[in-house]
Amino acid sequence: MSIDTATITEAGRLLAAGQLVAFPTETVYGLGGDATNDHAVAAIFAAKGRPTFNPLIVHVARVEQAEDLVVVDPRARRLMARFWPGPLTLVLPRRPGSPVSLLASAGLDTIAIRLPDHAIARALIEAAGRPLAAPSANRSGGVSPTRAEHVDADLAALVLDGGPCRVGVESTVLDLSGDHPALLRPGGIPLEELERELGPLLRTENPTAPKSPGQLESHYAPGLPVRLDAEEPHPGEALLGFGPGAAELNLSPSGDVAEAAANLFAMLRALDRPGFSGIAVRPIPEHGLGLAINDRLRRAAAPRLQPPKHQPPKHQP
Ligand code: TXA
Ligand code: MG
């Protein structure tokens, strides 16, 4: 761990007092607040400019801490033993008397919960002495930060620097609240690994039929238009490569989807600058972490809900 204990203690104190702290996880940096404090959770929504109907993931440091918050059935217990700590978020029934803020779960009777595979994240949760609600530490609609320097310092009272995130895409969200497990968001645990454990999953991550609001299209959009499955860039476009071949930047010259996931958000950020007319992305295979990468890229390429922030407004007639 690259952060001293005094800093962790101070960060824990800020969180216990209702302030926000940005912290590293193995997936992306999170904007953390006390998940049991409505005011802290409201501050997260306010800082992100996120519509409050979008529920947040609650982060715990130990499996026993999860059992105080949600109902853990044998199926959930098996997945926790196999994949925690790690990039798997489980949506489970809220436990009666659960101290988690109803605002954090957007009023739902379920809670999304995960135990991150990052020593700083777990030490922080322990220091705070409560579970932490934490979306990715970016303004709503922006690209998730995978390095401390990508976190906007205005969002939090403190940003803990844990270096680059190992996985680079958000956690896989699996809904275990119904009879049949359902994939709500592809992410850091490949679908294939979950299906080996559970059999075929329901797939509800289709952005045209969102079940959870985080499935909205254009959720991960850079400012420039994004074009997928590009073999060659059009004039003015930056090519984001995958596999061998010339490109402005390359997600993985060797064609490794895990390496590509770790590079995805940092490279989208690096190419999202004036001087290019758009970002063209080479095809990425739909296996392993490729599923999560393509999900994020399709959202980045989807028609925008709002005009991108750093482009000048259109002239009125
Ligand atoms: O890797 C990650 O999961 C990161 C790091 C910081 O842990 N966090 C993250 O949080 O990506 P966020 O808030 O950006 O995404 C939460 C996702 C959204 O798609 C949301 O709709 C879904 O989880 N979600 C949260 N609670 C839910 C619930 N009760 N039922 C269904 N979906 C839920
Ligand atoms: Mg996010």
Side-chain angles (χ1 to χ4, degrees):
M1 208 201 296
S2 60
I3 290 184
D4 59 275
T5 49
T7 306
I8 294 285
T9 304
E10 167 64 5
R13 198 192 57 73
L14 288 168
L15 287 163
Q19 306 246 61
L20 306 186
V21 172
F23 64 97
T25 80
E26 78 280 29
T27 58
V28 300
Y29 276 74
L31 180 62
D34 178 354
T36 67
N37 176 341
D38 288 327
H39 298 284
V41 174
I44 295 174
F45 288 124
K48 283 191 62 98
R50 163 181 275 199
T52 47
F53 49 75
N54 199 353
L56 304 176
I57 294 172
V58 174
H59 297 66
V60 294
R62 287 166 288 110
V63 171
E64 309 82 79
Q65 196 177 12
E67 312 217 25
D68 295 337
L69 313 179
V70 292
V71 179
V72 181
D73 65 9
R75 189 176 53 178
R77 198 174 308 282
R78 195 155 50 86
L79 292 176
M80 289 171 177
R82 167 95 169 73
F83 295 106
W84 280 10
L88 177 66
T89 294
L90 299 176
V91 174
L92 292 167
R94 169 185 283 269
R95 193 188 172 98
S98 175
V100 169
S101 155
L102 273 168
L103 187 59
S105 60
L108 299 172
D109 54 10
T110 55
I111 292 172
I113 195 157
R114 92 175 189 93
L115 202 170
D117 185 19
H118 199 295
I120 293 175
R122 290 200 304 272
L124 180 67
I125 298 163
E126 293 285 14
R130 56 259 288 154
L132 298 182
S136 52
N138 53 276
R139 291 210 160 70
S140 196
V143 174
S144 299
T146 53
R147 296 162 183 262
E149 57 269 29
H150 293 163
V151 178
D152 186 337
D154 294 346
L155 291 174
L158 184 65
V159 180
L160 298 179
D161 187 347
C165 298
R166 173 174 63 78
V167 176
V169 291
E170 295 88 343
S171 60
T172 302
V173 181
L174 182 71
D175 186 354
L176 288 183
S177 67
D179 289 339
H180 203 96
L183 181 74
L184 299 184
R185 177 176 76 180
I189 297 290
L191 175 67
E192 296 90 330
E193 277 189 45
L194 289 175
E195 292 198 322
R196 261 200 297 280
E197 203 70 31
L198 295 167
L201 298 180
L202 287 176
R203 302 277 300 270
T204 60
E205 83 276 21
N206 180 346
T208 59
K211 170 175 177 181
S212 73
Q215 300 171 331
L216 285 175
E217 284 188 14
S218 86
H219 187 75
Y220 295 88
L224 290 177
V226 176
R227 189 167 65 85
L228 303 185
D229 295 321
E231 293 298 340
E232 296 294 334
H234 294 160
E237 277 182 340
L239 183 66
L240 180 56
F242 179 87
E248 192 68 33
L249 289 175
N250 200 319
L251 290 166
S252 172
S254 68
D256 173 357
V257 282
E259 182 188 22
N263 285 328
L264 178 67
F265 290 135
M267 289 188 175
L268 280 177
R269 256 167 216 279
L271 296 180
D272 188 22
R273 57 171 198 256
F276 294 124
S277 60
I279 302 171
V281 190
R282 295 263 302 161
I284 316 282
E286 281 276 345
H287 65 72
L289 295 192
L291 201 63
I293 297 172
N294 283 320
D295 170 77
R296 304 304 186 275
L297 285 171
R298 276 192 290 270
R299 290 164 203 274
R304 299 301 157 80
L305 298 175
Q306 292 147 0
K309 277 172 218 88
H310 66 264
Q311 286 189 349
K314 292 228 161 52
H315 289 292
Q316 299 300 319

